Each structure stands twice: as structure tokens, then as C-alpha cells.
Amino acid sequence: NVLADSYCHPSTFKYCPRPFLKWGHRSSRLKKVLEALGSDILCLQEIDHFSDFWKPLLEKRGYLCSYVRRGFGVKSSGKKDGCLVAWRASRFRKLEGIDVNFDDLSRVMTSYMAQRYTRNNCGQIIVLRDKYMGRNLILANCHLFWNPKHEDVKLRQIALLLRHLEILLEKRASEADKKNEQSAAPLPRLCNLCYLAPAKIRKKKVSVIDNKTPIIICGDLNSLPEARVVKFLSSGVCDLAVQEDHTSAKLRGNKTEAIATVPWANERKVAQALPEDAEKIETLPFKRVLIADISLDRVARWLRSVGVDCEIFKSDVEPHSQKWDLERSQKVFQMARKEKRLLITRSKTLIRRRDAPAFVMVTGKTADEAFSEVARQLKLKFDPRRMFRRCVKCNGNFVRLPKEDLHTTEGVPKAMRDGIDPDTGSEIHFFICRREDCRQVYWWGRRSNDALESFRKMLNGVTDAKKRKSQILKDSKKTDTKSVTSQSSAVCELSKEINLDLEIAREVVSSTILRHKMELQSAFPLSYKSKAASKNYATNITENFVGQIDHLLYSRLGGLSVKSAVCPTHWIQAGRKDVKEDIKVSINSRRGNNDRKITDKVLAEDNSTMNTSIHLLPNKEWPSDHLPLKVQFEWTSTKSNGTISKT
């Protein structure tokens, strides 16, 4: 991360003299850094001044580059920086590239969650061909959102990048399959009508993980080694609905504190099994929701009538003077997470809080409109088996009331205490709520039939509205197809790419369990062992934060191995070009026998005196607040005798 000129403010880096923050001074130092790195491939973040500085500089030094700007495709983005991948033209040739806009996630979300995921971050995927070795290499470079309180945003951003990568691998695997099929020897012919396919030359299905193209993923992930983003890259699976006690350290402020994970699982299906009593209540999967507003009391009763497990948040504040202050918000959020319930509310203030759980926002003014919105979000369908299975008063379950208890139970009409309907003469079954503080009595009567018909119309009306909407979308697609055919082929291809990007984003958003099929490992495994070890590999050293938030991972099965990895703290000794050994000692041990921990005060003293190699970044010698990760890879191949050769 080269620190964009647009972010290099004196108010942010108060400890650095202003002349050292100016672009004229920093640009000259960045040239020296590139010369010191001497890499064949460069993956950079926060690149601005691309056309007037970086592109001429890299081309002059024999590099070709691919640049993607943050918020591309959006006119009002306002971001001036982006990501860049550069490679030596004498060694590599670009085969194809993909630009990934992480704001695609917000375009397939509800309007209330779209604001949370609109961060103007981006990534890029480049496929290179090694001219010397005749092998391909896939690079993924990205810059994730910085805020540690939004780890769900970072998880979905990296999941979107990995999904684009998997689709690219699937595409290349299928293309290789077709080439193998075309170049295969003709099958032995038995007669004029049939062929014989020996087992040795039968077509073998190639999966994503069978692809041997090596993968390197790197960038500014804004996540510590123990954060869930890095764990997801290494393990291949992450459940957004599971909270952990830690994610990543706070990157802003004078204190380092743990931030709880904010899972995002909007419209998530939560199933609950009813009590095992086949005679009284059928065991069917139901949604579990939590009504946060007293004004939605009637909606809660209707949801219970159609079989939804619905609780109402009770507060000491009067219903008409409710104010969602911090204390009340935390209580309702805690209740929703503890009982795994979907929050339903009218309050925009409540859902805009950063620690808000999964929710459904209700905008309808009347109870009918609000119920239709909730039914649409929960995808409720009319099912007579689920009707009237819960107490509309307290949300409790029913139990059949014995005939001998009808005379002594309060709530049973006197004319029906014999269990016989006086109007029809038929037998009546009574049920009573199991909760001791409720004990509401229910039975099937004329009003029950009327209510059943009303709910049938309401829920079928929601289904009909969905069908009409889907039909309108189909018709619009047909008209769009007719209009597109008359346009140029370039516009058609662009629209296909946009639709594909949104489909990939929709696939990532629809699941709360994120997965990827690539076996990735870090090029700096020692930094992942403990928090103390990660301090040795700090890539960001500022007044308020010291830690590793930049990472480089590669595929285990891709035919690459790490020959050497330069510790980031090696580059702290800026200006000393004769340093060749990697620094493997901790930052604290550099201060001699003094075992004091690094603090803001200690770092400030080092930065002012410059007596040791520990100082704040940026400074006079180093032009960025980040340190680079430099790794030397070598190609590996397995010979026929089982030995591994390296090049």
C-alpha cells in the first residue's frame, strides 16, 4: 500500500513533518523503493497519479500494468485511487483480466443494507503467461474496507473476489477439457455403427480444484492474522451467523480494543421444531421473528395465527414515546441474537446501528400493508396445517384440554362445557395455552372459518403479487432482448458482463456460509502462530496501530513454492541498501535488554530521535504508512520417479 496522495493529510499523520508528506518528496522516495524491491511482479494499492506518474515510471522500467480505480462504473464515486498489478514485459505476457467491483454486493441487497456495503472498494484478477517456463499464473490483488466493526462487509468482499476466481478456473478447466477432447486419438472402430472407448481414454470430469494453475492472492485486507477474513482464506469456510469474541484490532483511536463480529444474514431462514406431539401439534419448520415495535402488535398476532413463532419486545417505556437509545437497542439486539430471531421493525434509526442483527424493515402504514411486507420477506405460503397452532396472545403452544376439566377451566363457555356445540350438535375439541401466565382457551368455531378464509386471501394475494412481478420481469427481459439485438455487439457483451457480475454478487449475498475450493496458505506462516509473532511481521506502523494487515497467500497445489520471504520490518531500515539478511527478531527486542512494550509514546520518541530502526511511518525516508511483503517463488514439478524439481 503506497498511501495515496489524497489520503496523506497532516491531520492524520501529525507526527510526520509536512514537507515529508508532500507528493514531490514522497514520489522520489517511491522510485527508490521500486528500485530496491526489484520484483518481476508488483501488486500495489491506493494508487493515484496513475497517468502522470505510475504508468510512465513503470513503462520506463520495463513493466506493463493493469489498473482499476475504486468505484469504477459509478459516476459519483469521488475516489481517486485504485489497485494496480505490474509485470515485467520481458518475462510475462497478460492473457486475460477481470476487474471486481465490491459495490456489486450493494446492488443486489435491500435499500437499507445497500448503504452498509457501498464502500467503493475494488479488486482485480490477472492471468499471466511465463514466457521462460511456458506456465500460467493467476494473480488476485485487492483492497478491502478498513473498518473492523464491518467484518461482515470484508468477508463478503473477499468471498466475491474468490467466487470470480473460481468461475475463471472453471472456465479455463472446461476450455482445457475441450482441447484435450479435440486432440485425443480417434477411438478404435468396431463396425460402421459403433466405436469402442477404452477405459484409459475415457473423458474425465475436471473440477475446480483439479486445475493446476497456481494462484497468488495478496493485498491490503485490513485484517490481522487472527481475524476471520484471514481464517476464511486459509480454511475455506466461514459462517457469518456465528459470532466470535474477537475479529481484528481497532485501527483508529489511541487504544486497541476487540470489536465483536457483526453478522449479516438478512432474510435468513431460521427453523424451529415444535414440541413432539403429533396428535396436538404437527412438527413443521417455522420462522422465528421478533417484533421490536408495539405498533406492530396486530401484525404479531396475525403472524402467530399463520404459525410463525413471533415474540414482541417488551420495554418499560410507553409505546407512543419509544426512543431507541443505546441501552434499549442493545437489549433488543441481544434478545434477537440469543433466541436466533429475525428482527422486524419500522425504525430506521434502529437498523442503521452497526451491531444490528438480521432484520426486516416495514414501511407499510396499515396493518394489512405491514403484514403483506413481512409475509413477502418470510416467503409465507398459505398452509391449513400451520394455521392456528400458536397462542395469539402470548405466542405459547397449545395442549388439548380433557373433557373432565371443561367444567372447572375458566374461559370455556357454559353452553359448551359438555364438549358439544349447541348450534350444530357436533363434538368440540378445546385447547389451552401451555404458559401458566396465559392459559388462554381456544376452540374451532364459526369465526375460525372466517379468519381462515381471510388469511387465505391475504397470503394468496402476496403469492399472486410475486407471480405478477416475475411475469413483468420476464416480459421486460424479452423486450430488452429485442432491443439489444439491434444494438452493437460491444454493448451486448458489456450488458452480459454486468448481468454476470450481479449474478455472482447475488450468489455470495444469498448464503450465510461462505466457502471456496482453493487450498491457500500464507507465504509468512510464522506470523499466524500467535499475536506476539504477528508483531514481528507488522506491515503498518503508525501512531495508533502496529500490526500486520497486508497479506500474501498462494495455492498449495498450484506448482509454486516459496524460496524466500522478506520480513516486512526489513524495510524499516530505509536508505540502507546493503541490508541483505531478513530481520527475524521481534520489534520489542530491538530495543536491547529493555522489555518495554511498544506504546505510542515509545514510538513517538523513536520517530523524533531516529536512534533506532523503529519509527513511525511515513517519515523522511519511508514514503508510506505500510511496509511491503516481498516473496520469491519458484516453480515446482513432479518427475516420473516421484521427485520434485524446482526452477
Side-chain angles (χ1 to χ4, degrees):
N1 188 321
V2 299
L3 181 58
D5 186 32
S6 55
Y7 304 146
C8 193
H9 300 295
S11 59
T12 305
F13 305 102
K14 297 178 181 180
Y15 49 84
C16 184
R18 290 197 176 190
F20 302 151
L21 296 177
K22 292 184 178 180
W23 177 247
H25 175 81
R26 292 178 56 241
S27 60
S28 61
R29 292 294 174 182
L30 286 169
K31 293 179 182 179
K32 294 184 178 181
V33 171
L34 290 183
E35 294 176 358
L37 286 171
S39 300
D40 294 321
I41 299 174
L42 296 169
C43 295
L44 309 177
Q45 301 87 39
E46 290 195 17
I47 293 290
D48 53 5
H49 296 284
F50 171 70
S51 58
D52 59 344
F53 176 75
W54 287 105
K55 187 176 181 180
L57 175 66
L58 294 171
E59 290 179 350
K60 184 178 179 180
R61 283 164 171 73
Y63 289 96
L64 294 177
C65 57
S66 176
Y67 172 72
V68 54
R69 183 174 174 176
R70 291 180 60 184
F72 67 92
V74 181
K75 294 183 180 180
S76 60
S77 166
K79 300 296 182 180
K80 298 181 180 180
D81 65 299
C83 297
L84 181 144
V85 175
W87 58 92
R88 290 195 186 275
S90 60
R91 177 71 186 268
F92 294 97
R93 177 170 58 91
K94 179 182 175 181
L95 299 182
E96 60 180 310
I98 301 174
D99 295 335
V100 182
N101 189 354
F102 294 142
D103 283 355
D104 289 342
L105 296 170
S106 64
R107 297 189 181 100
V108 297
M109 292 180 176
T110 59
S111 58
Y112 302 101
M113 289 305 298
Q115 183 179 3
R116 181 181 180 84
Y117 280 78
T118 305
R119 300 300 175 181
N120 294 319
N121 294 108
C122 64
Q124 54 185 163
I125 301 173
I126 306 294
V127 183
L128 299 178
R129 178 76 171 177
D130 191 336
K131 298 179 181 179
Y132 295 166
M133 302 301 299
R135 300 176 71 171
N136 296 338
L137 174 67
I138 299 179
L139 291 165
N141 180 31
C142 64
H143 190 185
L144 304 186
F145 185 47
W146 68 270
N147 197 331
K149 292 185 178 180
H150 292 63
E151 192 157 16
D152 59 312
V153 176
K154 289 185 279 189
L155 282 167
R156 291 194 183 275
Q157 285 180 345
I158 197 65
L160 181 63
L161 181 72
L162 294 175
R163 186 61 191 134
H164 276 278
L165 197 54
E166 286 183 346
I167 292 176
L168 176 63
L169 289 173
E170 292 173 359
K171 173 186 172 184
R172 297 185 65 83
S174 61
E175 290 176 353
D177 229 7
K178 291 180 181 178
K179 290 181 180 179
N180 294 335
E181 185 178 356
Q182 292 174 359
S183 61
L187 301 178
R189 192 170 184 175
L190 296 180
C191 62
N192 293 332
L193 299 177
C194 62
Y195 290 86
L196 176 64
K200 293 183 179 181
I201 58 176
R202 286 176 186 167
K203 181 179 178 181
K204 182 181 178 181
K205 187 177 180 181
V206 181
S207 61
V208 174
I209 58 175
D210 289 335
N211 197 303
K212 300 300 181 181
T213 305
I215 304 168
I216 297 176
I217 300 176
C218 58
D220 184 357
L221 305 185
N222 278 311
S223 304
L224 292 173
E226 63 268 18
R228 299 182 72 188
V229 174
V230 182
K231 290 182 179 178
F232 169 56
L233 286 169
S234 303
S235 63
V237 62
C238 178
D239 189 355
L240 285 173
V242 177
Q243 286 187 302
E244 294 187 357
D245 296 332
H246 63 274
T247 56
S248 58
K250 189 176 182 181
L251 304 184
R252 297 288 182 259
N254 295 327
K255 296 182 180 180
T256 302
E257 58 178 318
I259 305 297
T261 305
V262 183
W264 185 88
N266 197 19
E267 302 177 10
R268 183 189 175 203
K269 296 180 179 179
V270 182
Q272 178 203 23
L274 293 176
E276 297 180 359
D277 195 341
E279 182 182 1
K280 307 177 184 72
I281 304 171
E282 299 183 27
T283 57
L284 295 173
F286 291 103
K287 316 286 182 180
R288 306 187 68 194
V289 300
L290 173 64
I291 299 291
D293 306 282
I294 299 296
S295 60
L296 296 174
D297 177 67
R298 181 177 295 182
V299 177
R301 289 175 175 268
W302 289 352
L303 289 174
R304 293 166 181 170
S305 299
V306 298
V308 177
D309 183 357
C310 178
E311 291 286 354
I312 301 178
F313 176 70
K314 298 179 181 179
S315 176
D316 299 333
V317 184
E318 295 182 4
H320 300 289
S321 62
Q322 288 190 8
K323 294 183 179 180
W324 289 108
D325 54 10
L326 180 61
E327 183 179 358
R328 293 187 68 249
S329 301
Q330 290 179 348
K331 287 182 179 179
V332 68
F333 292 167
Q334 184 179 5
M335 180 178 176
R337 290 195 179 96
K338 184 179 179 180
E339 301 179 8
K340 298 181 179 180
R341 294 185 180 274
L342 186 69
L343 186 66
I344 298 178
T345 181
R346 294 181 186 270
S347 174
K348 295 181 180 180
T349 305
L350 184 64
I351 64 172
R352 283 175 180 171
R353 292 189 177 274
R354 294 176 177 175
D355 53 344
F359 67 88
V360 171
M361 179 68 188
V362 178
T363 58
K365 296 181 180 180
T366 64
D368 294 345
E369 294 174 353
F371 178 78
S372 299
E373 287 185 42
V374 176
R376 191 181 303 111
Q377 293 289 341
L378 297 180
K379 300 179 181 179
L380 295 179
K381 296 181 180 180
F382 179 77
D383 189 350
R385 299 174 300 169
R386 301 188 182 186
M387 299 297 299
F388 309 122
R389 300 295 185 182
R390 308 193 73 87
C391 178
V392 298
K393 185 178 180 180
C394 71
N395 195 41
N397 293 325
F398 298 151
V399 62
R400 180 173 290 182
L401 191 63
K403 285 186 178 181
E404 54 269 19
D405 295 339
L406 295 180
H407 294 277
T408 58
T409 302
E410 184 179 355
V412 178
K414 293 182 180 180
M416 299 182 181
R417 289 182 177 177
D418 295 332
I420 304 297
D421 189 346
D423 296 332
T424 62
S426 59
E427 185 179 4
I428 299 178
H429 297 287
F430 287 87
F431 296 86
I432 189 170
C433 181
R434 289 183 174 182
R435 293 189 178 181
E436 295 295 334
D437 57 344
C438 179
R439 307 301 288 176
Q440 180 72 25
V441 177
Y442 295 89
W443 67 94
W444 192 270
R446 180 178 56 82
R447 292 184 179 180
S448 303
N449 292 323
D450 297 340
L452 186 68
E453 187 62 27
S454 299
F455 284 119
R456 184 196 301 273
K457 293 179 180 179
M458 294 174 69
L459 293 179
N460 287 342
V462 172
T463 306
D464 295 340
K466 289 182 181 179
K467 291 180 179 179
R468 288 194 299 271
K469 185 177 179 180
S470 61
Q471 186 63 36
I472 291 173
L473 290 175
K474 288 180 181 179
D475 296 340
S476 63
K477 287 182 179 180
K478 290 179 181 178
T479 56
D480 291 343
T481 305
K482 293 179 181 179
S483 61
V484 165
T485 52
S486 61
Q487 299 175 359
S488 62
S489 59
V491 176
C492 296
E493 291 297 327
L494 179 61
S495 62
K496 288 180 181 179
E497 291 179 5
I498 294 174
N499 293 333
L500 178 61
D501 292 343
L502 294 181
E503 286 298 325
I504 297 173
R506 191 174 289 107
E507 182 181 347
V508 173
V509 168
S510 62
S511 176
T512 59
I513 300 180
L514 306 178
R515 303 179 187 274
H516 70 83
K517 302 178 182 179
M518 291 160 285
E519 297 185 17
L520 301 174
Q521 63 181 5
S522 173
F524 298 86
L526 295 178
S527 65
Y528 291 8
K529 286 189 175 181
S530 63
K531 292 184 179 180
S534 64
K535 288 282 187 179
N536 307 341
Y537 295 84
T539 59
N540 187 252
I541 302 177
T542 61
E543 185 180 13
N544 304 319
F545 178 78
V546 177
Q548 181 187 0
I549 57 177
D550 304 272
H551 301 268
L552 192 151
L553 300 95
Y554 66 100
S555 57
R556 302 172 185 174
L557 304 177
L560 278 183
S561 65
V562 176
K563 185 177 182 180
S564 63
V566 180
C567 185
T569 51
H570 164 83
W571 304 103
I572 289 181
Q573 305 211 15
R576 293 183 56 187
K577 298 181 180 180
D578 56 338
V579 178
K580 296 182 180 180
E581 296 183 358
D582 298 346
I583 298 175
K584 298 181 180 179
V585 294
S586 67
I587 295 177
N588 286 323
S589 65
R590 286 168 170 245
R591 302 190 56 84
N593 297 327
N594 194 345
D595 293 330
R596 289 186 300 165
K597 294 183 178 180
I598 286 186
T599 61
D600 298 342
K601 184 178 179 181
V602 172
L603 286 172
E605 291 174 357
D606 291 334
N607 190 59
S608 60
T609 60
M610 302 293 284
N611 291 329
T612 66
S613 58
I614 303 300
H615 49 77
L616 300 179
L617 306 177
N619 52 56
K620 179 181 179 180
E621 300 294 338
W622 194 258
S624 174
D625 59 339
H626 286 252
L627 297 171
L629 297 173
K630 182 178 180 180
V631 180
Q632 185 176 6
F633 288 98
E634 56 186 1
W635 293 106
T636 61
S637 58
T638 305
K639 297 182 179 180
S640 57
N641 56 3
T643 60
I644 298 177
S645 62
K646 299 181 180 181
T647 307

